[in-house]
Amino acid sequence: MHWTRRDFLTGSSILAVGVLGRPSVSAGQTRTPGQGPPASQPVEFRSLRGNVGIFVGQGGTIGWLISPDGVVVVDAQMPQTAKACLDGLNARSADRPIACLFNTHHHSDHTSGNGVFRPAVQKIVAHVRVPELQRAAARPGTEAAQVYADTTFSDRWTVRIGPETVTAVYCGPAHTGGDSIILFEHATVVHLGDLVFNRRLPALDRPGGCRIAGWIARLEQIVRDYPVDVSYIFGHAKPGGAVTGTRDDLLFQRDFLSAVLDHVRGAIKVGRSRDEIVNTAVELKDFPEHGPLTDRVLTPAYEELTQGA
Ligand SMILES: [Zn+2]
């Protein structure tokens, strides 16, 4: 698999005129009594640029393209907010067809809303490992009720919507074994899935294929290969933090992951036991915003360094 500058050659030149969308539109609320997020759970649509924007609700940030030629959605959150997102997309697009829903990876806070979108989308698209990982991670007995991608790819998959070219590019093993990022070439926006947890502790799902060293390498590759003016969408951020940003945020995430590995490597080197390492809640000195590292971060780091990839 290669990421090359050609991914963005067209978009870069067009984006020289850069249209920065202003934060827009509405914040609303949605709730299904008894099972939804609390009544205070806000949802928000926000435009970024080039007909691309985000939806913030419960779970990983949703990305969207709404153009006169069609609609594309990236990730599906949880069912309650997926419904609010779908309703909002339909209202904003005058019910134009949704060409596809991408799943950036299999985690439930990105795929549980697939069932809500299913009747409205022509395709659900994901890397070939995503359905398999989603099935394996499902609560026992719920595998059949999951809604899976019907269209899969190994390296990359592209759809054209009017002047926009939307491409999913495989980049695992990183956050999971089946991560993709979604490029909006004309808009020069990239949805990173969960490759950035902006200023908060990341989920390191080793059974789901997470490899921290691979994650670090992908972030560096993205920064190296893609234009400096790309606007990135992040799956998660600290409470109140930004779910969009720049390459500096990718490098900050890279530095945090590197610091975690360095810390655990150092502890192994001076002879500390596994229990001691994973149960000592240290705070990394350059990353106070993340708070103390928990065993959920330290255990996968320890296992990656001692068991290999
Ligand atoms: Zn995730």
Side-chain angles (χ1 to χ4, degrees):
M1 182 210 67
H2 297 285
W3 295 353
T4 64
R5 290 178 190 278
R6 76 181 162 81
D7 289 333
F8 269 110
L9 285 178
T10 309
S12 301
S13 54
I14 290 170
L15 203 79
V17 290
V19 188
L20 258 182
R22 42 176 92 160
S24 77
V25 222
S26 65
Q29 292 186 346
T30 181
R31 185 175 192 235
T32 303
Q35 56 175 336
S40 60
Q41 173 73 49
V43 299
E44 181 193 9
F45 278 90
R46 193 191 320 155
S47 296
L48 294 178
R49 60 191 186 193
N51 296 323
V52 174
I54 60 172
F55 170 87
V56 178
Q58 186 186 34
T61 310
I62 290 176
W64 48 258
L65 166 75
I66 301 174
S67 87
D69 303 288
V71 179
V72 168
V73 186
V74 181
D75 282 341
Q77 294 191 354
M78 307 302 286
Q80 295 82 8
T81 50
K83 174 74 167 63
C85 183
L86 180 58
D87 290 347
L89 291 171
N90 285 337
R92 287 165 176 78
S93 70
D95 293 314
R96 277 191 289 279
I98 300 179
C100 58
L101 163 66
F102 290 97
N103 289 155
T104 58
H105 63 295
H106 70 282
H107 285 156
S108 63
D109 60 326
H110 297 253
T111 56
S112 294
N114 280 0
V116 172
F117 281 100
R118 177 71 279 180
V121 303
Q122 290 165 2
K123 292 182 173 69
I124 301 180
V125 182
H127 181 259
V128 67
R129 288 208 65 201
V130 169
E132 162 209 333
L133 290 166
Q134 189 181 340
R135 198 177 310 272
R139 262 185 299 119
T142 68
E143 295 90 340
Q146 299 271 324
V147 175
Y148 299 96
D150 56 77
T151 302
T152 59
F153 62 92
S154 297
D155 292 324
R156 55 200 296 133
W157 191 93
T158 294
V159 60
R160 290 187 174 79
I161 307 288
E164 185 57 274
T165 301
V166 187
T167 301
V169 181
Y170 173 60
C171 56
H175 168 66
T176 71
D179 297 304
S180 307
I181 59 173
I182 314 299
L183 320 176
F184 294 90
E185 184 180 321
H186 187 167
T188 319
V189 173
V190 175
H191 193 306
L192 290 172
D194 276 358
L195 291 194
V196 168
F197 284 71
N198 195 20
R199 274 70 176 177
R200 59 174 280 186
L201 290 182
L204 305 179
D205 178 10
R206 187 168 167 82
C210 174
R211 296 297 179 266
I212 302 166
W215 190 340
I216 290 167
R218 296 306 164 217
L219 290 169
E220 290 180 342
Q221 194 169 17
I222 293 166
V223 168
R224 192 171 59 239
D225 286 355
Y226 292 171
V228 293
D229 57 352
V230 169
S231 178
Y232 293 98
I233 299 171
F234 314 138
H236 303 278
K238 69 176 182 180
V243 291
T244 60
T246 69
R247 62 195 308 171
D248 290 345
D249 301 305
L250 279 71
L251 293 172
F252 190 84
Q253 179 72 79
R254 184 270 316 260
D255 290 346
F256 174 79
L257 293 170
S258 298
V260 169
L261 285 182
D262 287 347
H263 162 71
V264 175
R265 195 181 286 114
I268 293 169
K269 202 170 169 188
V270 298
R272 298 217 172 91
S273 70
R274 173 187 173 121
D275 277 357
E276 200 181 347
I277 292 170
V278 305
N279 294 317
T280 304
V282 294
E283 190 174 283
L284 298 174
K285 77 173 167 51
D286 293 332
F287 301 91
E289 285 179 280
H290 291 73
L293 303 184
T294 66
D295 66 321
R296 296 175 62 173
V297 170
L298 293 165
T299 298
Y302 179 88
E303 290 182 351
E304 182 165 324
L305 290 170
T306 55
Q307 299 170 7

